[in-house]
C-alpha cells in the first residue's frame, strides 16, 4: 500500500480495527511465550470477552495457534494463563449423532476458514458442516450458527466445572443458569448468572450432570459440572441466533443487560456496533506511514492496551452503576475494575490512560477506592478479587500518577490513607502480594533483608523505594509536607542495595553485609523474574542518583552497554529449570536484555540520562522492528494485560513514561512519518518525523511548536496543550542533540538539588 492511500484513509474516521490481528501472540505454550494471548472477541474494557477454545476446560492456554480442533466458544475473563480464568461457560454446535463431551464434540478447523476480528469471530466447524460466529457487546454477545440440512442439529451450553446450573425454558426459547468456576479471589457467594435467548423452537431438550452423565428430556441440572443441549432439524444454510448476557449480580440483572445491550438487534447490527466501538477508540491515534506491517503491529498492540482492566460493574434497572464486590460478596454502588497485574501495568498502560483516557482512569481509581473500602487494602493483582501473584507496591504509582495528572472526583484523603497503610502495616494482609511483604524490615533497616525468609527481597526493596517516591509526590501536591519529606527520604532506600564493588544491585543480609556468593546473572532469588543485571535499573525516579553511584555518566553508559554486549548467559538454579522468561531473553540476540519481561523494559531509555540519546534511538528501533509483529508469534514474551503492547505504542510514537509520577516522557525514536493524537480535552498533538526510514532512526534535530528543541524528554503538559513535535531523522548519530545536563529527563535528587538552589 502506498503512502498516499494510507494518508488519505487515516484523515477520516476509518476502519482501523481491520488492521488489528487478535491472533498476535497466540502461538505460545508453557515453555515459550510469544505473547501468551488468546483472541479476545470483545469491546474495549468489556466485562465479558469471548474466545474459541482449542484446549480443555481449565487449561490456561485456552487457544493455541498450532492446535487444530475447537471444543467451543467460551465467555472468558482470563487476564493471563498463569492466573487462569473464572466465570467461564461455552457454546458449541454439532450435527449428526449427539456428541457433547468436550473431547468427542471437538471439531477440526483451519485458520484458512477462520475470521478473527476484535468485533467478530467466525469459524467453520468441519466435522459438522457448521459455521459458528460471535460478535460482542460489553456484557453480552450475539452468536450466529449456520447449519447444513440435518435431521439432528444441536447447540449446547457447557456451564463448566466447580459448580454450575442450567435450566432449559422451551416455551421461552431460553437457557438460564449459572457457573461458579474460578481460580481464587472470590467470595463464597460468587456466581456468574447467564441467560441465552434463541430464535428457533427446541425439539430436543437434554441436560447433563456430573461425569458427563446425559439426562435425556430433563430440562434442569445442577451439580459440579452440568450443561444443556437443545436440538432441532435444520435446512441447508439455516441460521440460528443466540443472544446471551451474564451478570455477577443476579439472573434478573443478566436479562436487563441482554435487553439493553442487544434487545432486538440483528447479528449484523451487533457486529457493526462492536466494530464502531473499536474504531472510535483506535481513531484517537491516527498513523501515516509507508510501512503497512508496522501499522498493523501498532493497532494490534493498541487493541491489547484497550482490553484491561475489565469493567467489573453493571447498570441496574434504574441505569445506576453497581457492582458485585469480589472482595465482600455484596452488591454495592459505584465502579469496580479488575483483571490486572499492577507489577506489569504501572509502567506504561496506566500512563497511557492518563495521556489518552483521563476520564476512564478517574473511574478506575474510584474503583480502587471501592476495593479499599470493601477489603481494607488496595489491590496489586486482582482477578477478580485479591490474588497472590508478583511483588511490589504498585498501586501507589498508579494512584499517584493519576492524581498528579488531573484525575477527577477522587477521595484523596481515603487514597492517602490506603497508600500509607500499604507502606506501614504488616498485619492482616489478605494475601502476600497485597501491601508490602517485609515492610517492617524495610522501614527499620531501609531494605528487605536477603536472609530472613522473604524471597525476591532486593526486587521488593527497589520497588518499594520507587512507590515511596510516588507517595511523596502525591503528598507534596496535597500540601502534606511532613509525609512528603518522610517518603522522599525513603525513596532513597535503593542506595542500600547498590554494591560499589560490582556496580550491581545486590541482596543484603540483616546484619548489613551483602549476600554471598553473588552472581548478577542468577535469576530469581533476590530478584523477580529477572536478575541483578535487569533489576539494577529499577530506580525509575532517580536515575541521576544511580549514575552518581556508578561513578558518572561514562561508567553508567558502559554499564548499560554491558547488558547488550554480554552473551545471553544465565543461572536458573533458583527455579530448578529454565523458565520461559529466560528462554525468551536467550533467543532474541540482544545479550542479557530481556524485553520479554517487564523489569527491564524502560532500560534502553536510560541512555538519555547519560546524554547518549543516539544509543537509545538505535536500540529502541531495533526492538520495535525485530521483537514485535502482528503475527501469532508476534511478541517476545508475555503480553501481560497490555504492558508489553503499551511499550510498543508509546515507543512507536517516539517517547515513553520511564517515571510514572513525574510529569515527563523520555524521547526515543519515532517509528512513523506522522502520528496524530486526538486528546480527550479536544486538543491535537502531532508527532512528525521527516526523512524517517528503516535506516534513518537517529534524531538529527527536533522542534516543539516550531521552536528548536534540545531536550530528550517531553513534558506532559506540553503534550496535553496540543501542538507539534517534529523530528528530522538521519542514518548517523547526532551526538550533539540533547547532549547537555539540562537536556536530561527528571530525577528526584537532581530536582531537589535545583529546588534547594532556588530557595537559596
Amino acid at each position: 500500500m502506498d503512502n498516499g492511500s494510507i494518508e488519505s484513509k487515516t484523515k477520516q474516521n476509518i476502519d482501523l480495527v481491520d488492521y488489528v490481528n487478535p491472533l498476535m501472540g497466540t502461538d505460545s505454550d508453557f515453555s515459550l511465550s510469544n505473547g501468551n494471548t488468546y483472541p479476545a472477541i470483545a469491546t474495549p474494557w468489556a466485562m465479558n470477552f469471548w474466545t474459541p477454545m482449542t484446549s480443555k476446560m481449565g487449561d490456561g492456554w485456552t487457544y493455541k495457534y498450532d492446535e487444530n480442533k475447537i471444543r467451543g466458544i467460551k465467555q472468558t475473563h482470563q487476564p493471563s494463563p498463569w492466573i487462569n480464568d473464572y466465570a467461564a461457560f461455552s457454546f458449541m454446535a454439532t450435527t449428526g449423532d449427539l456428541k457433547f463431551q468436550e473431547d468427542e464434540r471437538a471439531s477440526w478447523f483451519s485458520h484458512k476458514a477462520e475470521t478473527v476480528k476484535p468485533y467478530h469471530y467466525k469459524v467453520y466447524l468441519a466435522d459438522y458442516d457448521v459455521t459458528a460466529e460471535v460478535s460482542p457487546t460489553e456484557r453480552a454477545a450475539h452468536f450466529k450458527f449456520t447449519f447444513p440440512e440435518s435431521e439432528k442439529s444441536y447447540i449446547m451450553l457447557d456451564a463448566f466445572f466447580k459448580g454450575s446450573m442450567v435450566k432449559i425454558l422451551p416455551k421461552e426459547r431460553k437457557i438460564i443458569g449459572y457457573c461458579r468456576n474460578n481460580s481464587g479471589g472470590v467470595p463464597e457467594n460468587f456466581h456468574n448468572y447467564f441467560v441465552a435467548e434463541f430464535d428457533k423452537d427446541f425439539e430436543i431438550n437434554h441436560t447433563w450432570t456430573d461425569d458427563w452423565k446425559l439426562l435425556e428430556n430433563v430440562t434442569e441440572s445442577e451439580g459440579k459440572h452440568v450443561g444443556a443441549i437443545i436440538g432441532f432439524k435444520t435446512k441447508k444454510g439455516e441460521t440460528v441466533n443466540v443472544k446471551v448476557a451474564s451478570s455477577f449480580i443476579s439472573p434478573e440483572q443478566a436479562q436487563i443487560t441482554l435487553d439493553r445491550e442487544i434487545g432486538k438487534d440483528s447479528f449484523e447490527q451487533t457486529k457493526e456496533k462492536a466494530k464502531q466501538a473499536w474504531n472510535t477508540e483506535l481513531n484517537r491515534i491516527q498513523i501515516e506511514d509507508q510501512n503497512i506491517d508496522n501499522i498493523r503491529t501498532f493497532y494490534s498492540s493498541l487493541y491489547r492496551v484497550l482490553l484491561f482492566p475489565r469493567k467489573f460493574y453493571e447498570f441496574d434497572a434504574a441505569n445506576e452503576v453497581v457492582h458485585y464486590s469480589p472482595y465482600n460478596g455484596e452488591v454495592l454502588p459505584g465502579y469496580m475494575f479488575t483483571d490486572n497485574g499492577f507489577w506489569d501495568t504501572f509502567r506504561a498502560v496506566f500512563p497511557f490512560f492518563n495521556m489518552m483516557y483521563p476520564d476512564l482512569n478517574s473511574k478506575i481509581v474510584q474503583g480502587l477506592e471501592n476495593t479499599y473500602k470493601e477489603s481494607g487494602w488496595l489491590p496489586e493483582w486482582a482477578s477478580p478479587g485479591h490474588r497472590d501473584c508478583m511483588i511490589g507496591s504498585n498501586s501507589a504509582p498508579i494512584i499517584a500518577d493519576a492524581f498528579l495528572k488531573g484525575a477527577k472526583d477522587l477521595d484523596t484523603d481515603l487514597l492517602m490513607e490506603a497508600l500509607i497503610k500499604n507502606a506501614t502495616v504488616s498485619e492482616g494482609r489478605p494475601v502476600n502480594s497485597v501491601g508490602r511483604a517485609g515492610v517492617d524490615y524495610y522501614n527499620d533497616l531501609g531494605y528487605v533483608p536477603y536472609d530472613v525468609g522473604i524471597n525476591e527481597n532486593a526486587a521488593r526493596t527497589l520497588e518499594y523505594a520507587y512507590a515511596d517516591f510516588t507517595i511523596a509526590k502525591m503528598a507534596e501536591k496535597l500540601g502534606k509536607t511532613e509525609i512528603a519529606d518522610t517518603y522522599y527520604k525513603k525513596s532513597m532506600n535503593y542506595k542500600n542495595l547498590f554494591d560499589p564493588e560490582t556496580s550491581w544491585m545486590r541482596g543484603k543480609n540483616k546484619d548489613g553485609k551483602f549476600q554471598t556468593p553473588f552472581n548478577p546473572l542468577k535469576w530469581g532469588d533476590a530478584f523477580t523474574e529477572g536478575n541483578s543485571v535487569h533489576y539494577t535499573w529499577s530506580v525509575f525516579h532517580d536515575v541521576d542518583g544511580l549514575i552518581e553511584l556508578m561513578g558518572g555518566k561514562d561508567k553508567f553508559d558502559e554499564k548499560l552497554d554491558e547488558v547488550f554486549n554480554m552473551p545471553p548467559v544465565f543461572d536458573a538454579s533458583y527455579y530448578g529449570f529454565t523458565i520461559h522468561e529466560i528462554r525468551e531473553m536467550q533467543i532474541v540476540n540482544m545479550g542479557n536484555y530481556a524485553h520479554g519481561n517487564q523489569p527491564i523494559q524502560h532500560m534502553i531509555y536510560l541512555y538519555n540520562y547519560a546524554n547518549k540519546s543516539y544509543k537509545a534511538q538505535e536500540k529502541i528501533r531495533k526492538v520495535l522492528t525485530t521483537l514485535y509483529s502482528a503475527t501469532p508469534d508476534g511478541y517476545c514474551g508475555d503480553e501481560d494485560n497490555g504492558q508489553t503492547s503499551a511499550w510498543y505504542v508509546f515507543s512507536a510514537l517516539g517517547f515513553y513514561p520511564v517515571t510514572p509520577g513525574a510529569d515527563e516522557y523520555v524521547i526515543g525514536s519515532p517509528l512513523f512519518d506522522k502520528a496524530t493524537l486526538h486528546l480527550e480535552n479536544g486538543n491535537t498533538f502531532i508527532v512528525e518525523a521527516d526523512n524517517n526510514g528503516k535506516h534513518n532512526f537517529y534524531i538529527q534535530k527536533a522542534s516543539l511548536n516550531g521552536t528548536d528543541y534540545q531536550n530528550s524528554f517531553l513534558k506532559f503538559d506540553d503534550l496535553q496543550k496540543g501542538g507539534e513535535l517534529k523530528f528530522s531523522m538521519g542514518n548517523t548519530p547526532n551526538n550533539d542533540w540533547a547532549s547537555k545536563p539540562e537536556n536530561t529527563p527528571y530525577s528526584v535528587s537532581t530536582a531537589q538539588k535545583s529546588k534547594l538552589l532556588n530557595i537559596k
Side-chain angles (χ1 to χ4, degrees):
M1 188 177 286
D2 63 274
N3 189 39
S5 62
I6 291 176
E7 284 187 15
S8 64
K9 284 185 178 180
T10 52
K11 287 174 182 171
Q12 309 161 33
N13 188 23
I14 64 156
D15 289 341
L16 294 178
V17 68
D18 287 330
Y19 288 121
V20 173
N21 182 7
L23 296 179
M24 180 174 172
T26 59
D27 184 11
S28 301
D29 60 29
F30 178 86
S31 63
L32 185 72
S33 171
N34 287 309
N36 268 339
T37 62
Y38 56 84
I41 315 305
T43 58
W45 306 290
M47 188 176 89
N48 303 321
F49 300 172
W50 297 84
T51 196
M53 298 173 64
T54 66
S55 301
K56 288 187 176 185
M57 172 183 66
D59 188 336
W61 286 265
T62 188
Y63 179 97
K64 302 186 189 81
Y65 185 80
D66 64 353
E67 292 186 332
N68 44 38
K69 285 188 175 183
I70 281 181
R71 299 161 184 269
I73 299 172
K74 75 169 177 173
Q75 183 183 106
T76 177
H77 307 90
Q78 180 171 299
S80 126
W82 311 105
I83 290 290
N84 215 305
D85 210 348
Y86 64 91
F89 62 97
S90 72
F91 288 91
M92 183 63 178
T94 67
T95 57
D97 293 338
L98 178 60
K99 299 175 183 176
F100 67 96
Q101 295 184 30
E102 65 169 348
D103 287 338
E104 294 177 356
R105 74 187 184 220
S107 171
W108 280 81
F109 83 105
S110 167
H111 298 300
K112 300 175 183 67
E114 182 187 42
T115 301
V116 192
K117 303 286 186 183
Y119 59 89
H120 179 221
Y121 180 79
K122 180 178 180 180
V123 67
Y124 178 63
L125 302 173
D127 288 354
Y128 307 113
D129 193 21
V130 170
T131 298
E133 301 177 65
V134 63
S135 283
T137 73
E138 281 195 343
R139 298 167 189 83
H142 199 141
F143 281 82
K144 182 169 80 170
F145 297 99
T146 303
F147 285 94
E149 183 169 353
S150 175
E151 288 293 307
K152 294 185 286 186
S153 293
Y154 303 98
I155 297 174
M156 55 202 65
L157 189 160
D158 189 334
F160 281 26
F161 61 173
K162 300 185 180 180
S164 47
M165 185 275 281
V166 291
K167 186 175 184 180
I168 302 172
L169 304 171
K171 290 181 181 177
E172 298 178 53
R173 295 176 169 175
K174 284 183 184 179
I175 300 174
I176 61 173
Y178 63 73
C179 56
R180 303 195 66 199
N181 56 86
N182 65 83
S183 306
V186 299
E188 280 296 311
N189 66 348
F190 174 77
H191 289 74
N192 185 26
Y193 301 97
F194 49 77
V195 54
E197 295 181 349
F198 296 73
D199 66 352
K200 184 175 175 68
D201 288 333
F202 310 160
E203 296 174 24
I204 294 169
N205 302 284
H206 301 327
T207 55
W208 74 79
T209 188
D210 299 346
D211 302 318
W212 300 103
K213 182 182 177 184
L214 183 65
L215 304 174
E216 294 191 53
N217 304 312
V218 176
T219 57
E220 188 170 355
S221 184
E222 186 173 14
K224 292 178 181 176
H225 177 193
V226 305
I229 304 162
I230 56 103
F232 30 65
K233 300 179 185 68
T234 54
K235 298 174 184 175
K236 181 176 174 59
E238 183 176 352
T239 60
V240 178
N241 287 269
V242 188
K243 298 175 180 180
V244 57
S246 66
S247 168
F248 296 105
I249 294 173
S250 68
E252 295 77 16
Q253 180 61 47
Q255 187 67 56
I256 289 168
T257 296
L258 184 59
D259 294 342
R260 183 183 284 138
E261 294 196 5
I262 297 184
K264 298 186 185 306
D265 284 358
S266 67
F267 183 83
E268 287 303 315
Q269 287 173 313
T270 302
K271 176 179 161 185
E272 185 61 25
K273 285 180 179 179
K275 184 177 185 179
Q276 290 314 312
W278 277 110
N279 279 329
T280 296
E281 304 309 338
L282 297 178
N283 271 279
R284 293 198 186 206
I285 301 179
Q286 294 180 322
I287 300 301
E288 298 171 36
D289 199 77
Q290 299 174 47
N291 189 314
I292 190 66
D293 289 331
N294 288 346
I295 289 174
R296 289 187 178 118
T297 304
F298 181 85
Y299 286 110
S300 297
S301 297
L302 183 54
Y303 147 79
R304 290 282 167 192
V305 177
L306 305 183
L307 287 172
F308 295 100
R310 83 171 62 255
K311 296 173 179 177
F312 201 77
Y313 62 86
E314 305 174 49
F315 293 91
D316 66 12
N319 217 25
E320 297 290 330
V321 175
V322 293
H323 66 271
Y324 166 82
S325 172
Y327 302 99
N328 64 19
E330 297 177 24
V331 177
L332 296 164
Y335 293 105
M336 179 62 63
F337 292 79
T338 192
D339 290 325
N340 220 253
F342 290 170
W343 183 82
D344 302 297
T345 54
F346 85 84
R347 303 164 197 269
V349 174
F350 286 95
F352 183 81
F353 296 162
N354 285 326
M355 180 175 79
M356 298 300 298
Y357 292 95
D359 182 59
L360 170 77
N361 220 28
S362 297
K363 292 181 173 71
I364 291 171
V365 178
Q366 290 168 36
L368 296 181
E369 293 173 7
N370 288 330
T371 298
Y372 180 65
K373 290 175 188 173
E374 293 159 27
S375 76
W377 295 88
L378 292 167
E380 298 295 338
W381 229 123
S383 181
H386 294 304
R387 299 288 294 278
D388 191 6
C389 186
M390 306 313 295
I391 65 153
S393 191
N394 299 306
S395 52
I398 286 169
I399 290 166
D401 196 41
F403 168 72
L404 292 163
K405 291 182 170 62
K408 301 286 193 298
D409 302 320
L410 304 185
D411 186 341
T412 53
D413 287 343
L414 183 79
L415 290 169
M416 280 303 297
E417 175 191 308
L419 293 174
I420 299 301
K421 180 177 179 179
N422 259 19
T424 55
V425 176
S426 59
E427 298 300 316
R429 297 181 300 116
V431 291
N432 198 45
S433 63
V434 166
R436 298 185 180 186
V439 67
D440 293 337
Y441 288 113
Y442 176 81
N443 289 334
D444 182 33
L445 301 172
Y447 60 95
V448 181
Y450 179 82
D451 59 346
V452 294
I454 299 171
N455 64 343
E456 303 169 17
N457 37 79
R460 295 181 194 277
T461 298
L462 294 169
E463 294 199 23
Y464 298 166
Y466 166 63
D468 288 340
F469 158 77
T470 63
I471 294 170
K473 289 283 283 186
M474 184 168 173
E476 184 176 50
K477 186 168 182 180
L478 288 169
K480 301 179 185 292
T481 309
E482 192 174 329
I483 293 174
D485 288 347
T486 297
Y487 282 87
Y488 275 131
K489 289 189 182 78
K490 284 158 65 86
S491 78
M492 295 294 114
N493 282 340
Y494 73 88
K495 296 181 179 181
N496 294 328
L497 295 191
F498 184 78
D499 173 18
E501 187 180 326
T502 63
S503 285
W504 297 117
M505 294 293 178
R506 184 171 176 179
K508 184 178 276 189
N509 291 330
K510 189 179 176 184
D511 65 5
K513 295 176 182 173
F514 284 115
Q515 54 99 182
T516 56
F518 173 59
N519 178 2
L521 299 177
K522 184 176 184 180
W523 283 61
D525 198 19
F527 300 97
T528 302
E529 293 183 2
N531 56 33
S532 180
V533 168
H534 306 140
Y535 253 97
T536 292
W537 315 105
S538 291
V539 187
F540 310 93
H541 57 299
D542 196 26
V543 180
D544 284 353
L546 183 60
I547 288 171
E548 192 175 321
L549 290 175
M550 286 188 177
K553 292 186 176 182
D554 287 344
K555 290 188 176 176
F556 180 82
D557 171 48
E558 290 170 9
K559 204 73 173 171
L560 287 168
D561 286 347
E562 187 180 338
V563 177
F564 295 98
N565 293 337
M566 67 171 70
V569 289
F570 57 86
D571 175 352
S573 60
Y574 176 76
Y575 301 105
F577 69 103
T578 304
I579 61 172
H580 74 93
E581 290 90 349
I582 295 176
R583 193 68 74 208
E584 289 141 21
M585 174 202 75
Q586 183 192 27
I587 62 178
V588 297
N589 194 23
M590 292 190 77
N592 240 268
Y593 178 70
H595 190 82
N597 207 20
Q598 281 65 39
I600 206 170
Q601 286 181 350
H602 68 294
M603 175 204 151
I604 295 175
Y605 285 90
L606 303 190
Y607 280 109
N608 288 286
Y609 297 75
N611 299 112
K612 296 288 177 65
S613 296
Y614 65 92
K615 289 189 176 182
Q617 294 154 25
E618 173 195 352
K619 288 178 170 58
I620 287 163
R621 184 63 68 90
K622 182 177 181 182
V623 173
L624 284 169
T625 55
T626 63
L627 301 191
Y628 290 82
S629 63
T631 56
D633 65 346
Y635 292 103
C636 56
D638 282 2
E639 197 285 319
D640 283 330
N641 300 153
Q643 168 54 32
T644 300
S645 294
W647 187 96
Y648 185 95
V649 169
F650 266 119
S651 296
L653 293 174
F655 49 89
Y656 185 80
V658 168
T659 314
D663 61 349
E664 294 175 1
Y665 307 102
V666 182
I667 289 173
S669 177
L671 183 61
F672 300 114
D673 296 340
K674 186 177 181 181
T676 302
L677 281 62
H678 299 283
L679 304 172
E680 202 169 83
N681 61 16
N683 296 334
T684 299
F685 189 80
I686 295 169
V687 182
E688 195 161 0
D690 290 342
N691 197 37
N692 204 357
K694 184 176 181 181
H695 303 292
N696 293 1
F697 45 76
Y698 293 112
I699 296 170
Q700 304 301 300
K701 59 181 180 178
S703 64
L704 181 62
N705 301 326
T707 302
D708 182 58
Y709 198 72
Q710 287 290 325
N711 295 331
S712 63
F713 59 87
L714 172 66
K715 287 283 190 183
F716 172 81
D717 286 344
D718 286 339
L719 187 151
Q720 290 295 317
K721 286 173 190 169
E724 183 175 36
L725 179 62
K726 192 166 187 176
F727 298 100
S728 293
M729 310 299 288
N731 61 7
T732 55
N734 178 1
N735 298 356
D736 293 330
W737 185 76
S739 61
K740 296 181 177 143
E742 60 267 27
N743 301 140
T744 58
Y746 174 91
S747 285
V748 63
S749 58
T750 304
Q752 290 186 331
K753 284 173 192 171
S754 299
K755 190 176 175 183
L756 286 170
L757 288 171
N758 290 335
I759 291 170
K760 290 174 183 175

